[in-house]
PDB file of all heavy atoms in Angstrom:
ATOM      1  N   HIS A  30      17.930  -2.030  20.175  1.00 89.00           N
ATOM      2  CA  HIS A  30      17.513  -3.343  20.738  1.00 89.00           C
ATOM      3  C   HIS A  30      16.063  -3.635  20.367  1.00 89.00           C
ATOM      4  O   HIS A  30      15.714  -4.808  20.242  1.00 89.00           O
ATOM      5  CB  HIS A  30      17.734  -3.273  22.212  1.00 89.00           C
ATOM      6  CG  HIS A  30      19.178  -3.235  22.702  1.00 89.00           C
ATOM      7  ND1 HIS A  30      20.072  -4.205  22.557  1.00 89.00           N
ATOM      8  CD2 HIS A  30      19.813  -2.241  23.138  1.00 89.00           C
ATOM      9  CE1 HIS A  30      21.190  -3.828  23.054  1.00 89.00           C
ATOM     10  NE2 HIS A  30      21.101  -2.617  23.391  1.00 89.00           N
ATOM     11  N   ASP A  31      15.273  -2.618  20.160  1.00 92.00           N
ATOM     12  CA  ASP A  31      13.803  -2.800  19.851  1.00 92.00           C
ATOM     13  C   ASP A  31      13.715  -3.305  18.447  1.00 92.00           C
ATOM     14  O   ASP A  31      14.015  -2.628  17.523  1.00 92.00           O
ATOM     15  CB  ASP A  31      13.007  -1.521  20.111  1.00 92.00           C
ATOM     16  CG  ASP A  31      11.526  -1.758  19.880  1.00 92.00           C
ATOM     17  OD1 ASP A  31      10.870  -2.148  20.815  1.00 92.00           O
ATOM     18  OD2 ASP A  31      11.125  -1.536  18.710  1.00 92.00           O
ATOM     19  N   VAL A  32      13.182  -4.512  18.321  1.00 94.00           N
ATOM     20  CA  VAL A  32      13.080  -5.118  16.940  1.00 94.00           C
ATOM     21  C   VAL A  32      12.300  -4.305  15.981  1.00 94.00           C
ATOM     22  O   VAL A  32      12.533  -4.154  14.885  1.00 94.00           O
ATOM     23  CB  VAL A  32      12.648  -6.610  17.072  1.00 94.00           C
ATOM     24  CG1 VAL A  32      12.473  -7.245  15.618  1.00 94.00           C
ATOM     25  CG2 VAL A  32      13.655  -7.359  17.878  1.00 94.00           C
ATOM     26  N   ASP A  33      11.099  -3.874  16.463  1.00 95.00           N
ATOM     27  CA  ASP A  33      10.198  -3.049  15.574  1.00 95.00           C
ATOM     28  C   ASP A  33      10.973  -1.796  15.235  1.00 95.00           C
ATOM     29  O   ASP A  33      10.848  -1.413  13.933  1.00 95.00           O
ATOM     30  CB  ASP A  33       8.942  -2.588  16.330  1.00 95.00           C
ATOM     31  CG  ASP A  33       8.026  -3.837  16.656  1.00 95.00           C
ATOM     32  OD1 ASP A  33       8.124  -4.760  15.812  1.00 95.00           O
ATOM     33  OD2 ASP A  33       7.293  -3.714  17.603  1.00 95.00           O
ATOM     34  N   ALA A  34      11.704  -1.097  16.060  1.00 94.00           N
ATOM     35  CA  ALA A  34      12.453   0.026  15.642  1.00 94.00           C
ATOM     36  C   ALA A  34      13.567  -0.258  14.702  1.00 94.00           C
ATOM     37  O   ALA A  34      13.765   0.521  13.804  1.00 94.00           O
ATOM     38  CB  ALA A  34      12.979   0.786  16.906  1.00 94.00           C
ATOM     39  N   ILE A  35      14.167  -1.478  14.869  1.00 95.00           N
ATOM     40  CA  ILE A  35      15.252  -1.883  13.951  1.00 95.00           C
ATOM     41  C   ILE A  35      14.715  -2.143  12.569  1.00 95.00           C
ATOM     42  O   ILE A  35      15.325  -1.774  11.548  1.00 95.00           O
ATOM     43  CB  ILE A  35      15.969  -3.178  14.546  1.00 95.00           C
ATOM     44  CG1 ILE A  35      16.719  -2.810  15.769  1.00 95.00           C
ATOM     45  CG2 ILE A  35      16.790  -3.892  13.422  1.00 95.00           C
ATOM     46  CD1 ILE A  35      17.273  -3.933  16.577  1.00 95.00           C
ATOM     47  N   VAL A  36      13.543  -2.800  12.518  1.00 96.00           N
ATOM     48  CA  VAL A  36      12.913  -3.013  11.215  1.00 96.00           C
ATOM     49  C   VAL A  36      12.530  -1.785  10.507  1.00 96.00           C
ATOM     50  O   VAL A  36      12.874  -1.530   9.283  1.00 96.00           O
ATOM     51  CB  VAL A  36      11.580  -3.806  11.314  1.00 96.00           C
ATOM     52  CG1 VAL A  36      10.760  -3.756  10.149  1.00 96.00           C
ATOM     53  CG2 VAL A  36      11.889  -5.233  11.794  1.00 96.00           C
ATOM     54  N   GLN A  37      12.083  -0.679  11.185  1.00 96.00           N
ATOM     55  CA  GLN A  37      11.822   0.569  10.575  1.00 96.00           C
ATOM     56  C   GLN A  37      13.147   1.220  10.122  1.00 96.00           C
ATOM     57  O   GLN A  37      13.191   1.905   9.024  1.00 96.00           O
ATOM     58  CB  GLN A  37      11.039   1.577  11.525  1.00 96.00           C
ATOM     59  CG  GLN A  37       9.633   1.080  11.827  1.00 96.00           C
ATOM     60  CD  GLN A  37       8.887   0.881  10.516  1.00 96.00           C
ATOM     61  OE1 GLN A  37       8.798   1.767   9.691  1.00 96.00           O
ATOM     62  NE2 GLN A  37       8.238  -0.230  10.359  1.00 96.00           N
ATOM     63  N   HIS A  38      14.193   1.136  10.894  1.00 96.00           N
ATOM     64  CA  HIS A  38      15.536   1.569  10.545  1.00 96.00           C
ATOM     65  C   HIS A  38      16.020   0.997   9.226  1.00 96.00           C
ATOM     66  O   HIS A  38      16.549   1.670   8.372  1.00 96.00           O
ATOM     67  CB  HIS A  38      16.528   1.175  11.681  1.00 96.00           C
ATOM     68  CG  HIS A  38      17.974   1.740  11.497  1.00 96.00           C
ATOM     69  ND1 HIS A  38      18.315   3.034  11.498  1.00 96.00           N
ATOM     70  CD2 HIS A  38      19.004   0.990  11.512  1.00 96.00           C
ATOM     71  CE1 HIS A  38      19.597   3.084  11.354  1.00 96.00           C
ATOM     72  NE2 HIS A  38      20.029   1.861  11.368  1.00 96.00           N
ATOM     73  N   VAL A  39      15.817  -0.300   9.149  1.00 97.00           N
ATOM     74  CA  VAL A  39      16.242  -1.084   7.926  1.00 97.00           C
ATOM     75  C   VAL A  39      15.420  -0.525   6.722  1.00 97.00           C
ATOM     76  O   VAL A  39      16.018  -0.387   5.687  1.00 97.00           O
ATOM     77  CB  VAL A  39      16.138  -2.636   8.139  1.00 97.00           C
ATOM     78  CG1 VAL A  39      16.269  -3.253   6.807  1.00 97.00           C
ATOM     79  CG2 VAL A  39      17.131  -3.134   9.156  1.00 97.00           C
ATOM     80  N   LEU A  40      14.195  -0.334   6.934  1.00 97.00           N
ATOM     81  CA  LEU A  40      13.292   0.097   5.745  1.00 97.00           C
ATOM     82  C   LEU A  40      13.778   1.443   5.214  1.00 97.00           C
ATOM     83  O   LEU A  40      13.798   1.721   4.085  1.00 97.00           O
ATOM     84  CB  LEU A  40      11.978   0.132   6.164  1.00 97.00           C
ATOM     85  CG  LEU A  40      11.283  -1.267   6.346  1.00 97.00           C
ATOM     86  CD1 LEU A  40       9.822  -1.217   6.816  1.00 97.00           C
ATOM     87  CD2 LEU A  40      11.342  -2.218   5.066  1.00 97.00           C
ATOM     88  N   ARG A  41      14.281   2.322   6.280  1.00 96.00           N
ATOM     89  CA  ARG A  41      14.853   3.566   5.834  1.00 96.00           C
ATOM     90  C   ARG A  41      16.077   3.432   5.081  1.00 96.00           C
ATOM     91  O   ARG A  41      16.340   4.226   4.102  1.00 96.00           O
ATOM     92  CB  ARG A  41      14.946   4.453   7.011  1.00 96.00           C
ATOM     93  CG  ARG A  41      13.670   5.072   7.749  1.00 96.00           C
ATOM     94  CD  ARG A  41      13.918   6.173   8.659  1.00 96.00           C
ATOM     95  NE  ARG A  41      14.419   5.632   9.952  1.00 96.00           N
ATOM     96  CZ  ARG A  41      13.643   5.272  10.939  1.00 96.00           C
ATOM     97  NH1 ARG A  41      12.333   5.336  10.860  1.00 96.00           N
ATOM     98  NH2 ARG A  41      14.239   4.798  12.094  1.00 96.00           N
ATOM     99  N   ILE A  42      16.807   2.486   5.492  1.00 96.00           N
ATOM    100  CA  ILE A  42      18.065   2.214   4.726  1.00 96.00           C
ATOM    101  C   ILE A  42      17.813   1.783   3.288  1.00 96.00           C
ATOM    102  O   ILE A  42      18.484   2.299   2.340  1.00 96.00           O
ATOM    103  CB  ILE A  42      18.972   1.152   5.409  1.00 96.00           C
ATOM    104  CG1 ILE A  42      19.522   1.631   6.801  1.00 96.00           C
ATOM    105  CG2 ILE A  42      20.083   0.597   4.540  1.00 96.00           C
ATOM    106  CD1 ILE A  42      20.118   0.540   7.604  1.00 96.00           C
ATOM    107  N   LEU A  43      16.858   1.019   3.042  1.00 96.00           N
ATOM    108  CA  LEU A  43      16.401   0.579   1.744  1.00 96.00           C
ATOM    109  C   LEU A  43      15.948   1.789   1.000  1.00 96.00           C
ATOM    110  O   LEU A  43      16.044   1.706  -0.274  1.00 96.00           O
ATOM    111  CB  LEU A  43      15.280  -0.445   1.804  1.00 96.00           C
ATOM    112  CG  LEU A  43      15.565  -1.799   2.495  1.00 96.00           C
ATOM    113  CD1 LEU A  43      14.316  -2.650   2.383  1.00 96.00           C
ATOM    114  CD2 LEU A  43      16.745  -2.581   1.728  1.00 96.00           C
ATOM    115  N   ASP A  44      15.454   2.824   1.656  1.00 95.00           N
ATOM    116  CA  ASP A  44      14.966   3.967   1.031  1.00 95.00           C
ATOM    117  C   ASP A  44      16.067   5.011   0.748  1.00 95.00           C
ATOM    118  O   ASP A  44      15.800   6.163   0.373  1.00 95.00           O
ATOM    119  CB  ASP A  44      13.790   4.592   1.754  1.00 95.00           C
ATOM    120  CG  ASP A  44      12.981   5.559   0.968  1.00 95.00           C
ATOM    121  OD1 ASP A  44      12.771   5.407  -0.161  1.00 95.00           O
ATOM    122  OD2 ASP A  44      12.567   6.594   1.626  1.00 95.00           O
ATOM    123  N   GLY A  45      17.274   4.564   1.176  1.00 95.00           N
ATOM    124  CA  GLY A  45      18.471   5.538   0.880  1.00 95.00           C
ATOM    125  C   GLY A  45      18.826   6.559   2.044  1.00 95.00           C
ATOM    126  O   GLY A  45      19.553   7.453   1.778  1.00 95.00           O
ATOM    127  N   GLY A  46      18.446   6.189   3.216  1.00 95.00           N
ATOM    128  CA  GLY A  46      18.757   7.080   4.384  1.00 95.00           C
ATOM    129  C   GLY A  46      18.573   6.407   5.707  1.00 95.00           C
ATOM    130  O   GLY A  46      18.050   5.358   5.844  1.00 95.00           O
ATOM    131  N   VAL A  47      19.063   7.251   6.744  1.00 94.00           N
ATOM    132  CA  VAL A  47      18.762   6.725   8.017  1.00 94.00           C
ATOM    133  C   VAL A  47      18.449   7.943   8.891  1.00 94.00           C
ATOM    134  O   VAL A  47      18.760   9.132   8.586  1.00 94.00           O
ATOM    135  CB  VAL A  47      20.088   6.064   8.764  1.00 94.00           C
ATOM    136  CG1 VAL A  47      20.285   4.688   8.129  1.00 94.00           C
ATOM    137  CG2 VAL A  47      21.183   7.026   8.716  1.00 94.00           C
ATOM    138  N   LYS A  48      17.737   7.693  10.074  1.00 94.00           N
ATOM    139  CA  LYS A  48      17.475   8.778  11.028  1.00 94.00           C
ATOM    140  C   LYS A  48      18.638   8.873  12.091  1.00 94.00           C
ATOM    141  O   LYS A  48      18.849   7.873  12.735  1.00 94.00           O
ATOM    142  CB  LYS A  48      16.187   8.603  11.759  1.00 94.00           C
ATOM    143  CG  LYS A  48      15.874   9.665  12.783  1.00 94.00           C
ATOM    144  CD  LYS A  48      14.650   9.384  13.595  1.00 94.00           C
ATOM    145  CE  LYS A  48      13.425   9.348  12.815  1.00 94.00           C
ATOM    146  NZ  LYS A  48      12.160   9.099  13.692  1.00 94.00           N
ATOM    147  N   ALA A  49      19.337   9.956  12.082  1.00 95.00           N
ATOM    148  CA  ALA A  49      20.510  10.009  12.946  1.00 95.00           C
ATOM    149  C   ALA A  49      19.961  10.174  14.388  1.00 95.00           C
ATOM    150  O   ALA A  49      18.847  10.340  14.654  1.00 95.00           O
ATOM    151  CB  ALA A  49      21.290  11.296  12.643  1.00 95.00           C
ATOM    152  N   ILE A  50      20.909  10.038  15.357  1.00 94.00           N
ATOM    153  CA  ILE A  50      20.563  10.003  16.745  1.00 94.00           C
ATOM    154  C   ILE A  50      19.957  11.352  17.156  1.00 94.00           C
ATOM    155  O   ILE A  50      19.239  11.379  18.180  1.00 94.00           O
ATOM    156  CB  ILE A  50      21.807   9.557  17.594  1.00 94.00           C
ATOM    157  CG1 ILE A  50      21.392   9.185  18.943  1.00 94.00           C
ATOM    158  CG2 ILE A  50      22.786  10.797  17.636  1.00 94.00           C
ATOM    159  CD1 ILE A  50      22.401   8.438  19.779  1.00 94.00           C
ATOM    160  N   ASP A  51      20.191  12.374  16.467  1.00 94.00           N
ATOM    161  CA  ASP A  51      19.604  13.684  16.728  1.00 94.00           C
ATOM    162  C   ASP A  51      18.231  13.960  16.055  1.00 94.00           C
ATOM    163  O   ASP A  51      17.661  14.996  16.129  1.00 94.00           O
ATOM    164  CB  ASP A  51      20.564  14.893  16.574  1.00 94.00           C
ATOM    165  CG  ASP A  51      20.814  15.013  15.003  1.00 94.00           C
ATOM    166  OD1 ASP A  51      20.378  14.157  14.213  1.00 94.00           O
ATOM    167  OD2 ASP A  51      21.464  16.046  14.632  1.00 94.00           O
ATOM    168  N   GLY A  52      17.828  12.919  15.378  1.00 93.00           N
ATOM    169  CA  GLY A  52      16.550  13.026  14.665  1.00 93.00           C
ATOM    170  C   GLY A  52      16.629  13.447  13.149  1.00 93.00           C
ATOM    171  O   GLY A  52      15.512  13.451  12.536  1.00 93.00           O
ATOM    172  N   THR A  53      17.732  13.871  12.730  1.00 95.00           N
ATOM    173  CA  THR A  53      17.803  14.433  11.378  1.00 95.00           C
ATOM    174  C   THR A  53      18.039  13.205  10.411  1.00 95.00           C
ATOM    175  O   THR A  53      18.395  12.129  10.817  1.00 95.00           O
ATOM    176  CB  THR A  53      19.019  15.343  11.159  1.00 95.00           C
ATOM    177  OG1 THR A  53      20.276  14.660  11.601  1.00 95.00           O
ATOM    178  CG2 THR A  53      18.926  16.601  12.033  1.00 95.00           C
ATOM    179  N   ARG A  54      17.726  13.381   9.138  1.00 95.00           N
ATOM    180  CA  ARG A  54      17.816  12.441   8.145  1.00 95.00           C
ATOM    181  C   ARG A  54      19.155  12.419   7.469  1.00 95.00           C
ATOM    182  O   ARG A  54      19.562  13.614   7.064  1.00 95.00           O
ATOM    183  CB  ARG A  54      16.766  12.429   7.137  1.00 95.00           C
ATOM    184  CG  ARG A  54      16.739  11.234   6.127  1.00 95.00           C
ATOM    185  CD  ARG A  54      15.566  11.407   5.125  1.00 95.00           C
ATOM    186  NE  ARG A  54      15.529  10.160   4.220  1.00 95.00           N
ATOM    187  CZ  ARG A  54      16.371   9.913   3.179  1.00 95.00           C
ATOM    188  NH1 ARG A  54      17.192  10.745   2.887  1.00 95.00           N
ATOM    189  NH2 ARG A  54      16.137   8.758   2.512  1.00 95.00           N
ATOM    190  N   VAL A  55      19.881  11.407   7.349  1.00 94.00           N
ATOM    191  CA  VAL A  55      21.148  11.283   6.699  1.00 94.00           C
ATOM    192  C   VAL A  55      21.092  10.429   5.522  1.00 94.00           C
ATOM    193  O   VAL A  55      20.568   9.302   5.522  1.00 94.00           O
ATOM    194  CB  VAL A  55      22.158  10.738   7.646  1.00 94.00           C
ATOM    195  CG1 VAL A  55      23.565  10.677   6.985  1.00 94.00           C
ATOM    196  CG2 VAL A  55      22.265  11.454   8.908  1.00 94.00           C
ATOM    197  N   THR A  56      21.399  10.923   4.274  1.00 95.00           N
ATOM    198  CA  THR A  56      21.352  10.240   3.039  1.00 95.00           C
ATOM    199  C   THR A  56      22.495   9.067   3.158  1.00 95.00           C
ATOM    200  O   THR A  56      23.613   9.321   3.662  1.00 95.00           O
ATOM    201  CB  THR A  56      21.662  11.066   1.825  1.00 95.00           C
ATOM    202  OG1 THR A  56      20.713  12.030   1.729  1.00 95.00           O
ATOM    203  CG2 THR A  56      21.727  10.179   0.671  1.00 95.00           C
ATOM    204  N   LEU A  57      22.178   7.775   2.795  1.00 93.00           N
ATOM    205  CA  LEU A  57      23.094   6.712   3.032  1.00 93.00           C
ATOM    206  C   LEU A  57      22.859   5.756   1.828  1.00 93.00           C
ATOM    207  O   LEU A  57      21.748   5.203   1.705  1.00 93.00           O
ATOM    208  CB  LEU A  57      22.815   6.027   4.309  1.00 93.00           C
ATOM    209  CG  LEU A  57      23.810   4.920   4.816  1.00 93.00           C
ATOM    210  CD1 LEU A  57      25.080   5.633   5.115  1.00 93.00           C
ATOM    211  CD2 LEU A  57      23.268   4.247   5.947  1.00 93.00           C
ATOM    212  N   GLU A  58      23.956   5.506   1.156  1.00 94.00           N
ATOM    213  CA  GLU A  58      23.958   4.364   0.153  1.00 94.00           C
ATOM    214  C   GLU A  58      24.371   3.116   0.751  1.00 94.00           C
ATOM    215  O   GLU A  58      25.448   3.145   1.408  1.00 94.00           O
ATOM    216  CB  GLU A  58      24.844   4.773  -1.076  1.00 94.00           C
ATOM    217  CG  GLU A  58      24.855   3.832  -2.249  1.00 94.00           C
ATOM    218  CD  GLU A  58      25.675   4.125  -3.332  1.00 94.00           C
ATOM    219  OE1 GLU A  58      26.309   5.242  -3.290  1.00 94.00           O
ATOM    220  OE2 GLU A  58      25.796   3.419  -4.338  1.00 94.00           O
ATOM    221  N   ALA A  59      23.689   2.085   0.538  1.00 96.00           N
ATOM    222  CA  ALA A  59      24.116   0.808   1.059  1.00 96.00           C
ATOM    223  C   ALA A  59      23.851  -0.429   0.132  1.00 96.00           C
ATOM    224  O   ALA A  59      22.780  -0.461  -0.469  1.00 96.00           O
ATOM    225  CB  ALA A  59      23.442   0.482   2.499  1.00 96.00           C
ATOM    226  N   HIS A  60      24.786  -1.303   0.057  1.00 97.00           N
ATOM    227  CA  HIS A  60      24.643  -2.465  -0.756  1.00 97.00           C
ATOM    228  C   HIS A  60      24.517  -3.744   0.098  1.00 97.00           C
ATOM    229  O   HIS A  60      24.363  -4.890  -0.373  1.00 97.00           O
ATOM    230  CB  HIS A  60      25.816  -2.707  -1.763  1.00 97.00           C
ATOM    231  CG  HIS A  60      26.093  -1.369  -2.449  1.00 97.00           C
ATOM    232  ND1 HIS A  60      27.373  -0.818  -2.507  1.00 97.00           N
ATOM    233  CD2 HIS A  60      25.321  -0.639  -3.354  1.00 97.00           C
ATOM    234  CE1 HIS A  60      27.262   0.218  -3.233  1.00 97.00           C
ATOM    235  NE2 HIS A  60      26.076   0.389  -3.754  1.00 97.00           N
ATOM    236  N   SER A  61      24.888  -3.584   1.548  1.00 98.00           N
ATOM    237  CA  SER A  61      24.784  -4.648   2.450  1.00 98.00           C
ATOM    238  C   SER A  61      24.462  -4.078   3.748  1.00 98.00           C
ATOM    239  O   SER A  61      24.809  -2.992   4.094  1.00 98.00           O
ATOM    240  CB  SER A  61      26.233  -5.304   2.576  1.00 98.00           C
ATOM    241  OG  SER A  61      26.165  -6.365   3.421  1.00 98.00           O
ATOM    242  N   ILE A  62      23.549  -4.888   4.525  1.00 98.00           N
ATOM    243  CA  ILE A  62      23.186  -4.471   5.780  1.00 98.00           C
ATOM    244  C   ILE A  62      23.720  -5.514   6.820  1.00 98.00           C
ATOM    245  O   ILE A  62      23.499  -6.787   6.592  1.00 98.00           O
ATOM    246  CB  ILE A  62      21.725  -4.354   5.910  1.00 98.00           C
ATOM    247  CG1 ILE A  62      21.201  -3.279   4.939  1.00 98.00           C
ATOM    248  CG2 ILE A  62      21.197  -4.137   7.365  1.00 98.00           C
ATOM    249  CD1 ILE A  62      19.616  -3.170   4.792  1.00 98.00           C
ATOM    250  N   CYS A  63      24.240  -5.082   7.966  1.00 96.00           N
ATOM    251  CA  CYS A  63      24.857  -5.972   8.973  1.00 96.00           C
ATOM    252  C   CYS A  63      23.869  -6.037  10.124  1.00 96.00           C
ATOM    253  O   CYS A  63      23.379  -5.102  10.584  1.00 96.00           O
ATOM    254  CB  CYS A  63      26.171  -5.364   9.439  1.00 96.00           C
ATOM    255  SG  CYS A  63      26.866  -6.312  10.721  1.00 96.00           S
ATOM    256  N   VAL A  64      23.817  -7.319  10.493  1.00 92.00           N
ATOM    257  CA  VAL A  64      23.050  -7.743  11.765  1.00 92.00           C
ATOM    258  C   VAL A  64      24.095  -8.273  12.683  1.00 92.00           C
ATOM    259  O   VAL A  64      24.733  -9.363  12.395  1.00 92.00           O
ATOM    260  CB  VAL A  64      21.908  -8.705  11.614  1.00 92.00           C
ATOM    261  CG1 VAL A  64      21.284  -9.021  12.921  1.00 92.00           C
ATOM    262  CG2 VAL A  64      20.934  -8.116  10.556  1.00 92.00           C
ATOM    263  N   HIS A  65      24.496  -7.761  13.750  1.00 84.00           N
ATOM    264  CA  HIS A  65      25.514  -8.336  14.658  1.00 84.00           C
ATOM    265  C   HIS A  65      25.010  -9.562  15.325  1.00 84.00           C
ATOM    266  O   HIS A  65      23.942  -9.598  15.987  1.00 84.00           O
ATOM    267  CB  HIS A  65      25.898  -7.230  15.714  1.00 84.00           C
ATOM    268  CG  HIS A  65      26.763  -6.267  15.289  1.00 84.00           C
ATOM    269  ND1 HIS A  65      26.368  -4.858  15.006  1.00 84.00           N
ATOM    270  CD2 HIS A  65      28.139  -6.222  14.832  1.00 84.00           C
ATOM    271  CE1 HIS A  65      27.307  -4.204  14.491  1.00 84.00           C
ATOM    272  NE2 HIS A  65      28.382  -4.937  14.470  1.00 84.00           N
ATOM    273  N   GLY A  66      25.794 -10.641  15.164  1.00 78.00           N
ATOM    274  CA  GLY A  66      25.436 -12.009  15.656  1.00 78.00           C
ATOM    275  C   GLY A  66      25.520 -12.046  17.086  1.00 78.00           C
ATOM    276  O   GLY A  66      24.870 -12.987  17.811  1.00 78.00           O
ATOM    277  N   ASP A  67      26.198 -11.032  17.802  1.00 74.00           N
ATOM    278  CA  ASP A  67      26.290 -11.158  19.295  1.00 74.00           C
ATOM    279  C   ASP A  67      25.276 -10.351  19.954  1.00 74.00           C
ATOM    280  O   ASP A  67      25.280 -10.347  21.320  1.00 74.00           O
ATOM    281  CB  ASP A  67      27.773 -10.769  19.717  1.00 74.00           C
ATOM    282  CG  ASP A  67      28.013  -9.225  19.387  1.00 74.00           C
ATOM    283  OD1 ASP A  67      27.892  -8.911  18.221  1.00 74.00           O
ATOM    284  OD2 ASP A  67      28.457  -8.498  20.285  1.00 74.00           O
ATOM    285  N   THR A  68      24.547  -9.546  19.268  1.00 76.00           N
ATOM    286  CA  THR A  68      23.451  -8.788  19.853  1.00 76.00           C
ATOM    287  C   THR A  68      22.370  -9.667  20.479  1.00 76.00           C
ATOM    288  O   THR A  68      21.922 -10.671  19.826  1.00 76.00           O
ATOM    289  CB  THR A  68      22.838  -7.894  18.897  1.00 76.00           C
ATOM    290  OG1 THR A  68      23.751  -7.047  18.379  1.00 76.00           O
ATOM    291  CG2 THR A  68      21.687  -7.034  19.549  1.00 76.00           C
ATOM    292  N   PRO A  69      21.921  -9.535  21.706  1.00 77.00           N
ATOM    293  CA  PRO A  69      20.788 -10.286  22.289  1.00 77.00           C
ATOM    294  C   PRO A  69      19.613 -10.290  21.361  1.00 77.00           C
ATOM    295  O   PRO A  69      19.176  -9.307  20.822  1.00 77.00           O
ATOM    296  CB  PRO A  69      20.462  -9.563  23.625  1.00 77.00           C
ATOM    297  CG  PRO A  69      21.846  -8.887  23.976  1.00 77.00           C
ATOM    298  CD  PRO A  69      22.438  -8.462  22.709  1.00 77.00           C
ATOM    299  N   GLY A  70      19.080 -11.471  21.060  1.00 85.00           N
ATOM    300  CA  GLY A  70      17.931 -11.642  20.244  1.00 85.00           C
ATOM    301  C   GLY A  70      18.272 -11.564  18.724  1.00 85.00           C
ATOM    302  O   GLY A  70      17.401 -11.286  17.842  1.00 85.00           O
TER     303      GLY A  70
END
């Protein structure tokens, strides 16, 4: 929900990975990023 945290999450996706919920880095290939339209804000 925190927009600043979401932006950092997206930048990590652009760099080829994400931080998992346990803090580890997961390699992730993505050609599209989803923003849920029903999420508040």
Side-chain angles (χ1 to χ4, degrees):
H30 297 286
D31 182 85
V32 177
D33 290 334
I35 288 169
V36 167
Q37 292 306 310
H38 179 66
V39 168
L40 292 177
R41 284 192 288 268
I42 291 170
L43 296 182
D44 197 37
V47 292
K48 182 189 291 185
I50 200 164
D51 67 351
T53 59
R54 186 183 189 278
V55 179
T56 300
L57 187 72
E58 181 182 359
H60 310 124
S61 183
I62 298 175
C63 177
V64 181
H65 284 103
D67 64 306
T68 300

